[in-house]
Amino acid sequence: MTCFDRRDLGLLLLRVGTGGVLAAHGAQKLFGWFGGGGVEGTGQFMESVGYVPGKANAAVAGLTEAGSGVLLALGLATPAAGAGAAGAMAGAAAVHTPNGFFAQSGGYEHPAFLGLTAAALGVTGPGRISLDHALGHFANRDWMVPAALAVTGAATALVVGARNKRVRQVAEEE
């Protein structure tokens, strides 16, 4: 009998894959790696789509994506990591929503999928092949799931709501 089962291996693959993609996106924003704009270039983009101040929003988005991605991949603080990544992806999806669903048209398909997968991992837990399991789940308690999702949901609603208000104001002025 093994100490790991198919579920644990599947969760490991989901965590590492999703976390790796999120961490890479965060590194684009923070450091300009993988063809990204770094904080400066990403900040200019963030300003252009209504996230003001741009550099601060770029830094927060990059830190959230990179940090949540690394934590998910490691299976550490999984509820917070999943919720943080879901919040960051909700912010990205808001930018792409006017383009429809599919990514080929610039839609929100990719951030929605990453956010949903990260949230599901936060709810499900990391499995036994994880640092949470190895450390006795001190940062992965049942009560942490709704707490992390509630705090992230409230913060995301405020940030995206303020951004959407700015975008509407600019459209009305034009």
Side-chain angles (χ1 to χ4, degrees), residues 55-160:
K55 282 176 79 172
N57 277 284
V60 170
L63 286 169
T64 302
E65 290 175 10
S68 293
V70 168
L71 289 172
L72 277 175
L74 295 172
L76 181 61
T78 306
M89 291 301 99
V95 172
H96 295 280
T97 296
N99 301 321
F101 178 71
F102 291 103
Q104 78 184 56
S105 302
Y108 62 94
E109 172 185 14
H110 188 236
F113 182 78
L114 282 174
L116 181 61
T117 303
L121 286 166
V123 170
T124 303
R128 290 181 285 184
I129 310 171
S130 66
L131 285 180
D132 275 338
H133 181 75
L135 298 172
H137 295 281
F138 78 92
N140 180 34
R141 306 277 186 213
D142 287 345
W143 65 267
M144 294 175 179
V145 174
L149 291 172
V151 169
T152 300
T156 302
L158 289 172
V159 171
V160 173

Side-chain angles (χ1 to χ4, degrees), residues 4-5 8-9 11-12 15 73-75 126-131 133:
F4 306 120
D5 61 17
D8 295 317
L9 291 172
L11 287 169
L12 174 66
R15 285 194 350 262
L74 295 172
R128 290 181 285 184
I129 310 171
S130 66
L131 285 180
H133 181 75

Side-chain angles (χ1 to χ4, degrees), residues 26-92:
Q28 287 180 308
K29 290 172 180 65
L30 293 173
F31 311 117
W33 296 351
F34 314 116
V39 173
E40 190 68 39
T42 303
Q44 291 172 5
F45 171 75
M46 296 286 251
E47 289 258 352
S48 77
V49 296
Y51 286 112
V52 177
K55 282 176 79 172
N57 277 284
V60 170
L63 286 169
T64 302
E65 290 175 10
S68 293
V70 168
L71 289 172
L72 277 175
L74 295 172
L76 181 61
T78 306
M89 291 301 99

